[in-house]
Amino acid sequence: MPKMIAVANQKGGVGKTTTAINVSACLAELGKKTLLIDTDPQANATSGLGFDPKQVEKSIYHVIVDGMAAADVILTAEMEYLNLLPANHDLIGAEVEMASLIARESRLKSSLKDIRDRYDYIIIDCPPSLGLLTLNTLTACDSVLIPIQCEYYALEGLGQLLKTIILVRDNLNPKLEIEGVLLTMQDRRVKLSYRVISEVRNFFKGEVYKTAIPRNVRLSEAPSFGKPVILYDNSSSGAQAYRELTKEIVANE
C-alpha cells in the first residue's frame, strides 16, 4: 500500500503547493512511483508541473463529481516515476455540486481505490480552505503535512485545522495522523525567523521536520517555468532543502 499524504493549511501563501510539487518530484527522483493530485481550484500544482489548466479537459473534478475513472485522467509528468491527477477551473463549483451527493466526504477515497496500489506515494495538494475538497482529502489520506511560514502570525488559524483533523479522525478516518510540520520561507538573516521556529517547535513538540525551507529566488521562479525546482535549478538551496525534507519523509516510514 502507498503512503497517502495531504499537504494542507487553510492559510494561503505558506508554501503548500510548492511543497506538494517539490516533495513529489524529489520522491520520483528517488525512484518512488509517485502520484501528485491537485484538488485546489486554482490548479497551481497542475501548472507547476508544466500543464496548462485551460487545456486540461478532464480533471479531478470529473473523478470526484462525475465518477470518471481516475486512471483515465492521470497525466505523465516530465520526470520518470511522477504522474499527475490534474485540476482545472471546473473544480471551482465542485463543493456546491458535491453537497447533495451520497457519501460526499468519501468521494475521493472511493475514486482512488482502483489506482492506489500503482504508487509508492500519493501526495495531495489541498485548497487553502477547510471545505469539502479538503475534507475529502483528509478522509482519503494516511497523514497530513502542514507547511507553516516563518512569520509573526505563523500559528494563527492552525487551531481550526487541528480541530478538523481530530473530527475527521473521530468520524471518518481513524488512521489519520500528522505526518509532520514544515517550516517554510525561512530567512536566516532575520531574527524573527528563529523566534518563530522556536515557537512552532515548542507547540508541536517532536512533529516538526529538522529541515526548514529557505526563501529562495529559484524556488519562487520554478513554477512559472512549469518545473519542480530540482529540474529548474538542481543546485539551488531550495532544491537541496526539498531533497533533505524528502529524505526525512522516507525515513519516517
Side-chain angles (χ1 to χ4, degrees), residues 148-156 158 181 183 191-205 208:
I148 297 178
Q149 186 176 354
C150 291
E151 62 170 23
Y152 186 72
Y153 294 109
L155 295 172
E156 188 178 75
L158 275 180
V181 176
L183 291 154
K191 290 183 180 179
L192 175 63
S193 286
Y194 292 97
R195 291 203 297 270
V196 170
I197 288 171
S198 177
E199 184 179 347
V200 172
R201 290 192 187 281
N202 183 60
F203 184 86
F204 284 100
K205 306 304 180 186
V208 182

PDB file of all heavy atoms in Angstrom, residues 148-156 158 181 183 191-205 208:
ATOM      1  N   ILE A 148       4.143  25.676   7.442  1.00  0.00           N
ATOM      2  CA  ILE A 148       3.933  26.903   8.219  1.00  0.00           C
ATOM      3  C   ILE A 148       5.015  27.904   7.851  1.00  0.00           C
ATOM      4  O   ILE A 148       6.204  27.602   7.929  1.00  0.00           O
ATOM      5  CB  ILE A 148       3.986  26.616   9.733  1.00  0.00           C
ATOM      6  CG1 ILE A 148       2.863  25.664  10.140  1.00  0.00           C
ATOM      7  CG2 ILE A 148       3.896  27.914  10.529  1.00  0.00           C
ATOM      8  CD1 ILE A 148       2.879  25.298  11.616  1.00  0.00           C
ATOM      9  N   GLN A 149       4.609  29.090   7.452  1.00  0.00           N
ATOM     10  CA  GLN A 149       5.575  30.125   7.070  1.00  0.00           C
ATOM     11  C   GLN A 149       6.242  30.714   8.309  1.00  0.00           C
ATOM     12  O   GLN A 149       5.605  30.882   9.359  1.00  0.00           O
ATOM     13  CB  GLN A 149       4.868  31.228   6.293  1.00  0.00           C
ATOM     14  CG  GLN A 149       5.803  32.272   5.717  1.00  0.00           C
ATOM     15  CD  GLN A 149       5.055  33.303   4.866  1.00  0.00           C
ATOM     16  OE1 GLN A 149       3.861  33.161   4.619  1.00  0.00           O
ATOM     17  NE2 GLN A 149       5.759  34.327   4.430  1.00  0.00           N
ATOM     18  N   CYS A 150       7.527  31.001   8.205  1.00  0.00           N
ATOM     19  CA  CYS A 150       8.284  31.604   9.313  1.00  0.00           C
ATOM     20  C   CYS A 150       7.961  33.092   9.407  1.00  0.00           C
ATOM     21  O   CYS A 150       8.746  33.956   9.004  1.00  0.00           O
ATOM     22  CB  CYS A 150       9.785  31.389   9.120  1.00  0.00           C
ATOM     23  SG  CYS A 150      10.312  29.693   9.302  1.00  0.00           S
ATOM     24  N   GLU A 151       6.782  33.397   9.939  1.00  0.00           N
ATOM     25  CA  GLU A 151       6.362  34.784  10.083  1.00  0.00           C
ATOM     26  C   GLU A 151       5.677  34.957  11.433  1.00  0.00           C
ATOM     27  O   GLU A 151       5.395  33.979  12.139  1.00  0.00           O
ATOM     28  CB  GLU A 151       5.402  35.184   8.956  1.00  0.00           C
ATOM     29  CG  GLU A 151       4.120  34.387   8.959  1.00  0.00           C
ATOM     30  CD  GLU A 151       3.085  34.936   7.998  1.00  0.00           C
ATOM     31  OE1 GLU A 151       3.468  35.640   7.044  1.00  0.00           O
ATOM     32  OE2 GLU A 151       1.891  34.656   8.208  1.00  0.00           O
ATOM     33  N   TYR A 152       5.371  36.177  11.775  1.00  0.00           N
ATOM     34  CA  TYR A 152       4.880  36.506  13.114  1.00  0.00           C
ATOM     35  C   TYR A 152       3.600  35.755  13.468  1.00  0.00           C
ATOM     36  O   TYR A 152       3.444  35.264  14.584  1.00  0.00           O
ATOM     37  CB  TYR A 152       4.658  38.015  13.221  1.00  0.00           C
ATOM     38  CG  TYR A 152       4.292  38.463  14.612  1.00  0.00           C
ATOM     39  CD1 TYR A 152       5.246  38.479  15.631  1.00  0.00           C
ATOM     40  CD2 TYR A 152       2.995  38.842  14.912  1.00  0.00           C
ATOM     41  CE1 TYR A 152       4.910  38.880  16.918  1.00  0.00           C
ATOM     42  CE2 TYR A 152       2.651  39.251  16.192  1.00  0.00           C
ATOM     43  CZ  TYR A 152       3.612  39.262  17.194  1.00  0.00           C
ATOM     44  OH  TYR A 152       3.270  39.654  18.465  1.00  0.00           O
ATOM     45  N   TYR A 153       2.667  35.660  12.522  1.00  0.00           N
ATOM     46  CA  TYR A 153       1.385  35.006  12.801  1.00  0.00           C
ATOM     47  C   TYR A 153       1.376  33.558  12.328  1.00  0.00           C
ATOM     48  O   TYR A 153       0.362  33.046  11.872  1.00  0.00           O
ATOM     49  CB  TYR A 153       0.245  35.777  12.130  1.00  0.00           C
ATOM     50  CG  TYR A 153       0.039  37.159  12.698  1.00  0.00           C
ATOM     51  CD1 TYR A 153       0.364  38.284  11.972  1.00  0.00           C
ATOM     52  CD2 TYR A 153      -0.487  37.325  13.982  1.00  0.00           C
ATOM     53  CE1 TYR A 153       0.176  39.565  12.489  1.00  0.00           C
ATOM     54  CE2 TYR A 153      -0.679  38.599  14.511  1.00  0.00           C
ATOM     55  CZ  TYR A 153      -0.347  39.709  13.759  1.00  0.00           C
ATOM     56  OH  TYR A 153      -0.536  40.951  14.290  1.00  0.00           O
ATOM     57  N   ALA A 154       2.491  32.895  12.457  1.00  0.00           N
ATOM     58  CA  ALA A 154       2.647  31.544  11.918  1.00  0.00           C
ATOM     59  C   ALA A 154       1.582  30.572  12.418  1.00  0.00           C
ATOM     60  O   ALA A 154       1.055  29.761  11.653  1.00  0.00           O
ATOM     61  CB  ALA A 154       4.037  31.013  12.250  1.00  0.00           C
ATOM     62  N   LEU A 155       1.258  30.633  13.706  1.00  0.00           N
ATOM     63  CA  LEU A 155       0.342  29.652  14.292  1.00  0.00           C
ATOM     64  C   LEU A 155      -1.124  30.101  14.241  1.00  0.00           C
ATOM     65  O   LEU A 155      -2.006  29.349  14.641  1.00  0.00           O
ATOM     66  CB  LEU A 155       0.739  29.396  15.748  1.00  0.00           C
ATOM     67  CG  LEU A 155       2.110  28.732  15.947  1.00  0.00           C
ATOM     68  CD1 LEU A 155       2.473  28.699  17.423  1.00  0.00           C
ATOM     69  CD2 LEU A 155       2.118  27.339  15.360  1.00  0.00           C
ATOM     70  N   GLU A 156      -1.353  31.304  13.717  1.00  0.00           N
ATOM     71  CA  GLU A 156      -2.721  31.813  13.664  1.00  0.00           C
ATOM     72  C   GLU A 156      -3.595  30.952  12.749  1.00  0.00           C
ATOM     73  O   GLU A 156      -3.231  30.659  11.612  1.00  0.00           O
ATOM     74  CB  GLU A 156      -2.724  33.259  13.151  1.00  0.00           C
ATOM     75  CG  GLU A 156      -4.081  33.938  13.241  1.00  0.00           C
ATOM     76  CD  GLU A 156      -4.008  35.385  12.773  1.00  0.00           C
ATOM     77  OE1 GLU A 156      -3.931  35.600  11.553  1.00  0.00           O
ATOM     78  OE2 GLU A 156      -3.997  36.293  13.624  1.00  0.00           O
ATOM     79  N   LEU A 158      -4.262  27.834  12.941  1.00  0.00           N
ATOM     80  CA  LEU A 158      -3.958  26.402  12.914  1.00  0.00           C
ATOM     81  C   LEU A 158      -4.869  25.596  13.828  1.00  0.00           C
ATOM     82  O   LEU A 158      -5.068  24.409  13.618  1.00  0.00           O
ATOM     83  CB  LEU A 158      -2.502  26.155  13.301  1.00  0.00           C
ATOM     84  CG  LEU A 158      -1.488  26.265  12.169  1.00  0.00           C
ATOM     85  CD1 LEU A 158      -0.095  25.999  12.708  1.00  0.00           C
ATOM     86  CD2 LEU A 158      -1.802  25.303  11.041  1.00  0.00           C
ATOM     87  N   VAL A 181       5.279  18.766  10.509  1.00  0.00           N
ATOM     88  CA  VAL A 181       5.087  20.213  10.339  1.00  0.00           C
ATOM     89  C   VAL A 181       6.343  20.769   9.680  1.00  0.00           C
ATOM     90  O   VAL A 181       7.462  20.520  10.143  1.00  0.00           O
ATOM     91  CB  VAL A 181       4.826  20.888  11.696  1.00  0.00           C
ATOM     92  CG1 VAL A 181       4.729  22.402  11.532  1.00  0.00           C
ATOM     93  CG2 VAL A 181       3.557  20.331  12.331  1.00  0.00           C
ATOM     94  N   LEU A 183       8.504  24.028   8.316  1.00  0.00           N
ATOM     95  CA  LEU A 183       8.745  25.466   8.356  1.00  0.00           C
ATOM     96  C   LEU A 183       9.228  25.931   6.988  1.00  0.00           C
ATOM     97  O   LEU A 183      10.187  25.379   6.444  1.00  0.00           O
ATOM     98  CB  LEU A 183       9.775  25.785   9.434  1.00  0.00           C
ATOM     99  CG  LEU A 183       9.252  25.557  10.859  1.00  0.00           C
ATOM    100  CD1 LEU A 183      10.389  25.264  11.818  1.00  0.00           C
ATOM    101  CD2 LEU A 183       8.446  26.761  11.315  1.00  0.00           C
ATOM    102  N   LYS A 191      16.048  37.704  12.662  1.00  0.00           N
ATOM    103  CA  LYS A 191      15.931  37.059  13.968  1.00  0.00           C
ATOM    104  C   LYS A 191      14.530  36.513  14.219  1.00  0.00           C
ATOM    105  O   LYS A 191      14.360  35.507  14.912  1.00  0.00           O
ATOM    106  CB  LYS A 191      16.301  38.055  15.069  1.00  0.00           C
ATOM    107  CG  LYS A 191      17.779  38.402  15.118  1.00  0.00           C
ATOM    108  CD  LYS A 191      18.075  39.343  16.280  1.00  0.00           C
ATOM    109  CE  LYS A 191      19.556  39.688  16.338  1.00  0.00           C
ATOM    110  NZ  LYS A 191      19.859  40.618  17.462  1.00  0.00           N
ATOM    111  N   LEU A 192      13.519  37.171  13.636  1.00  0.00           N
ATOM    112  CA  LEU A 192      12.143  36.723  13.826  1.00  0.00           C
ATOM    113  C   LEU A 192      11.963  35.273  13.384  1.00  0.00           C
ATOM    114  O   LEU A 192      11.228  34.515  14.011  1.00  0.00           O
ATOM    115  CB  LEU A 192      11.175  37.633  13.056  1.00  0.00           C
ATOM    116  CG  LEU A 192       9.696  37.202  13.057  1.00  0.00           C
ATOM    117  CD1 LEU A 192       9.148  37.216  14.479  1.00  0.00           C
ATOM    118  CD2 LEU A 192       8.875  38.115  12.143  1.00  0.00           C
ATOM    119  N   SER A 193      12.640  34.883  12.297  1.00  0.00           N
ATOM    120  CA  SER A 193      12.523  33.515  11.808  1.00  0.00           C
ATOM    121  C   SER A 193      12.891  32.508  12.882  1.00  0.00           C
ATOM    122  O   SER A 193      12.234  31.476  13.041  1.00  0.00           O
ATOM    123  CB  SER A 193      13.429  33.303  10.582  1.00  0.00           C
ATOM    124  OG  SER A 193      12.897  33.920   9.438  1.00  0.00           O
ATOM    125  N   TYR A 194      13.936  32.808  13.622  1.00  0.00           N
ATOM    126  CA  TYR A 194      14.387  31.885  14.654  1.00  0.00           C
ATOM    127  C   TYR A 194      13.424  31.850  15.840  1.00  0.00           C
ATOM    128  O   TYR A 194      13.218  30.800  16.461  1.00  0.00           O
ATOM    129  CB  TYR A 194      15.804  32.261  15.104  1.00  0.00           C
ATOM    130  CG  TYR A 194      16.821  32.031  14.014  1.00  0.00           C
ATOM    131  CD1 TYR A 194      17.234  33.083  13.195  1.00  0.00           C
ATOM    132  CD2 TYR A 194      17.341  30.768  13.774  1.00  0.00           C
ATOM    133  CE1 TYR A 194      18.145  32.881  12.172  1.00  0.00           C
ATOM    134  CE2 TYR A 194      18.264  30.556  12.757  1.00  0.00           C
ATOM    135  CZ  TYR A 194      18.659  31.616  11.959  1.00  0.00           C
ATOM    136  OH  TYR A 194      19.561  31.406  10.938  1.00  0.00           O
ATOM    137  N   ARG A 195      12.797  32.993  16.144  1.00  0.00           N
ATOM    138  CA  ARG A 195      11.794  33.015  17.212  1.00  0.00           C
ATOM    139  C   ARG A 195      10.567  32.203  16.813  1.00  0.00           C
ATOM    140  O   ARG A 195      10.008  31.471  17.628  1.00  0.00           O
ATOM    141  CB  ARG A 195      11.403  34.462  17.544  1.00  0.00           C
ATOM    142  CG  ARG A 195      12.506  35.257  18.210  1.00  0.00           C
ATOM    143  CD  ARG A 195      11.939  36.422  19.009  1.00  0.00           C
ATOM    144  NE  ARG A 195      11.249  37.383  18.150  1.00  0.00           N
ATOM    145  CZ  ARG A 195      11.855  38.417  17.575  1.00  0.00           C
ATOM    146  NH1 ARG A 195      13.166  38.609  17.733  1.00  0.00           N
ATOM    147  NH2 ARG A 195      11.164  39.263  16.818  1.00  0.00           N
ATOM    148  N   VAL A 196      10.163  32.339  15.551  1.00  0.00           N
ATOM    149  CA  VAL A 196       9.007  31.585  15.060  1.00  0.00           C
ATOM    150  C   VAL A 196       9.311  30.091  15.081  1.00  0.00           C
ATOM    151  O   VAL A 196       8.482  29.275  15.504  1.00  0.00           O
ATOM    152  CB  VAL A 196       8.618  32.041  13.636  1.00  0.00           C
ATOM    153  CG1 VAL A 196       7.575  31.091  13.037  1.00  0.00           C
ATOM    154  CG2 VAL A 196       8.095  33.471  13.658  1.00  0.00           C
ATOM    155  N   ILE A 197      10.497  29.717  14.627  1.00  0.00           N
ATOM    156  CA  ILE A 197      10.891  28.304  14.628  1.00  0.00           C
ATOM    157  C   ILE A 197      10.833  27.729  16.038  1.00  0.00           C
ATOM    158  O   ILE A 197      10.299  26.640  16.275  1.00  0.00           O
ATOM    159  CB  ILE A 197      12.305  28.136  14.031  1.00  0.00           C
ATOM    160  CG1 ILE A 197      12.264  28.378  12.520  1.00  0.00           C
ATOM    161  CG2 ILE A 197      12.866  26.746  14.318  1.00  0.00           C
ATOM    162  CD1 ILE A 197      13.622  28.444  11.871  1.00  0.00           C
ATOM    163  N   SER A 198      11.344  28.479  17.008  1.00  0.00           N
ATOM    164  CA  SER A 198      11.320  28.035  18.396  1.00  0.00           C
ATOM    165  C   SER A 198       9.890  27.866  18.896  1.00  0.00           C
ATOM    166  O   SER A 198       9.554  26.882  19.566  1.00  0.00           O
ATOM    167  CB  SER A 198      12.072  29.043  19.273  1.00  0.00           C
ATOM    168  OG  SER A 198      12.010  28.679  20.628  1.00  0.00           O
ATOM    169  N   GLU A 199       9.024  28.827  18.544  1.00  0.00           N
ATOM    170  CA  GLU A 199       7.625  28.784  18.963  1.00  0.00           C
ATOM    171  C   GLU A 199       6.904  27.580  18.360  1.00  0.00           C
ATOM    172  O   GLU A 199       6.163  26.873  19.057  1.00  0.00           O
ATOM    173  CB  GLU A 199       6.936  30.089  18.538  1.00  0.00           C
ATOM    174  CG  GLU A 199       5.499  30.212  18.991  1.00  0.00           C
ATOM    175  CD  GLU A 199       4.877  31.533  18.569  1.00  0.00           C
ATOM    176  OE1 GLU A 199       5.636  32.436  18.139  1.00  0.00           O
ATOM    177  OE2 GLU A 199       3.643  31.662  18.655  1.00  0.00           O
ATOM    178  N   VAL A 200       7.131  27.350  17.073  1.00  0.00           N
ATOM    179  CA  VAL A 200       6.460  26.236  16.394  1.00  0.00           C
ATOM    180  C   VAL A 200       6.968  24.897  16.933  1.00  0.00           C
ATOM    181  O   VAL A 200       6.184  23.972  17.178  1.00  0.00           O
ATOM    182  CB  VAL A 200       6.675  26.324  14.865  1.00  0.00           C
ATOM    183  CG1 VAL A 200       6.160  25.058  14.179  1.00  0.00           C
ATOM    184  CG2 VAL A 200       5.958  27.548  14.300  1.00  0.00           C
ATOM    185  N   ARG A 201       8.258  24.785  17.139  1.00  0.00           N
ATOM    186  CA  ARG A 201       8.823  23.529  17.670  1.00  0.00           C
ATOM    187  C   ARG A 201       8.295  23.257  19.078  1.00  0.00           C
ATOM    188  O   ARG A 201       8.031  22.112  19.452  1.00  0.00           O
ATOM    189  CB  ARG A 201      10.353  23.584  17.668  1.00  0.00           C
ATOM    190  CG  ARG A 201      10.966  23.541  16.275  1.00  0.00           C
ATOM    191  CD  ARG A 201      12.470  23.307  16.317  1.00  0.00           C
ATOM    192  NE  ARG A 201      13.073  23.427  14.994  1.00  0.00           N
ATOM    193  CZ  ARG A 201      13.043  22.481  14.065  1.00  0.00           C
ATOM    194  NH1 ARG A 201      12.451  21.324  14.336  1.00  0.00           N
ATOM    195  NH2 ARG A 201      13.617  22.677  12.890  1.00  0.00           N
ATOM    196  N   ASN A 202       8.112  24.302  19.857  1.00  0.00           N
ATOM    197  CA  ASN A 202       7.576  24.137  21.206  1.00  0.00           C
ATOM    198  C   ASN A 202       6.113  23.706  21.166  1.00  0.00           C
ATOM    199  O   ASN A 202       5.682  22.865  21.957  1.00  0.00           O
ATOM    200  CB  ASN A 202       7.720  25.446  21.989  1.00  0.00           C
ATOM    201  CG  ASN A 202       7.252  25.310  23.428  1.00  0.00           C
ATOM    202  OD1 ASN A 202       7.784  24.508  24.184  1.00  0.00           O
ATOM    203  ND2 ASN A 202       6.263  26.104  23.804  1.00  0.00           N
ATOM    204  N   PHE A 203       5.357  24.270  20.222  1.00  0.00           N
ATOM    205  CA  PHE A 203       3.925  23.975  20.112  1.00  0.00           C
ATOM    206  C   PHE A 203       3.693  22.546  19.628  1.00  0.00           C
ATOM    207  O   PHE A 203       2.832  21.832  20.145  1.00  0.00           O
ATOM    208  CB  PHE A 203       3.263  24.978  19.157  1.00  0.00           C
ATOM    209  CG  PHE A 203       1.770  24.827  19.042  1.00  0.00           C
ATOM    210  CD1 PHE A 203       0.925  25.447  19.946  1.00  0.00           C
ATOM    211  CD2 PHE A 203       1.201  24.078  18.018  1.00  0.00           C
ATOM    212  CE1 PHE A 203      -0.451  25.320  19.847  1.00  0.00           C
ATOM    213  CE2 PHE A 203      -0.169  23.937  17.911  1.00  0.00           C
ATOM    214  CZ  PHE A 203      -1.001  24.569  18.823  1.00  0.00           C
ATOM    215  N   PHE A 204       4.453  22.122  18.619  1.00  0.00           N
ATOM    216  CA  PHE A 204       4.238  20.809  18.004  1.00  0.00           C
ATOM    217  C   PHE A 204       5.192  19.731  18.522  1.00  0.00           C
ATOM    218  O   PHE A 204       5.140  18.587  18.059  1.00  0.00           O
ATOM    219  CB  PHE A 204       4.375  20.909  16.482  1.00  0.00           C
ATOM    220  CG  PHE A 204       3.190  21.535  15.811  1.00  0.00           C
ATOM    221  CD1 PHE A 204       3.226  22.863  15.424  1.00  0.00           C
ATOM    222  CD2 PHE A 204       2.042  20.802  15.566  1.00  0.00           C
ATOM    223  CE1 PHE A 204       2.131  23.451  14.795  1.00  0.00           C
ATOM    224  CE2 PHE A 204       0.946  21.376  14.940  1.00  0.00           C
ATOM    225  CZ  PHE A 204       0.989  22.693  14.551  1.00  0.00           C
ATOM    226  N   LYS A 205       6.053  20.112  19.474  1.00  0.00           N
ATOM    227  CA  LYS A 205       6.986  19.144  20.072  1.00  0.00           C
ATOM    228  C   LYS A 205       7.783  18.418  18.992  1.00  0.00           C
ATOM    229  O   LYS A 205       8.442  19.028  18.189  1.00  0.00           O
ATOM    230  CB  LYS A 205       6.232  18.176  20.989  1.00  0.00           C
ATOM    231  CG  LYS A 205       5.389  18.861  22.045  1.00  0.00           C
ATOM    232  CD  LYS A 205       6.219  19.817  22.901  1.00  0.00           C
ATOM    233  CE  LYS A 205       5.352  20.492  23.971  1.00  0.00           C
ATOM    234  NZ  LYS A 205       6.094  21.518  24.714  1.00  0.00           N
ATOM    235  N   VAL A 208       7.880  18.518  14.194  1.00  0.00           N
ATOM    236  CA  VAL A 208       8.440  19.475  13.236  1.00  0.00           C
ATOM    237  C   VAL A 208       9.659  18.863  12.552  1.00  0.00           C
ATOM    238  O   VAL A 208      10.542  18.306  13.210  1.00  0.00           O
ATOM    239  CB  VAL A 208       8.837  20.791  13.933  1.00  0.00           C
ATOM    240  CG1 VAL A 208       9.367  21.799  12.913  1.00  0.00           C
ATOM    241  CG2 VAL A 208       7.644  21.372  14.689  1.00  0.00           C
TER     242      VAL A 208
END
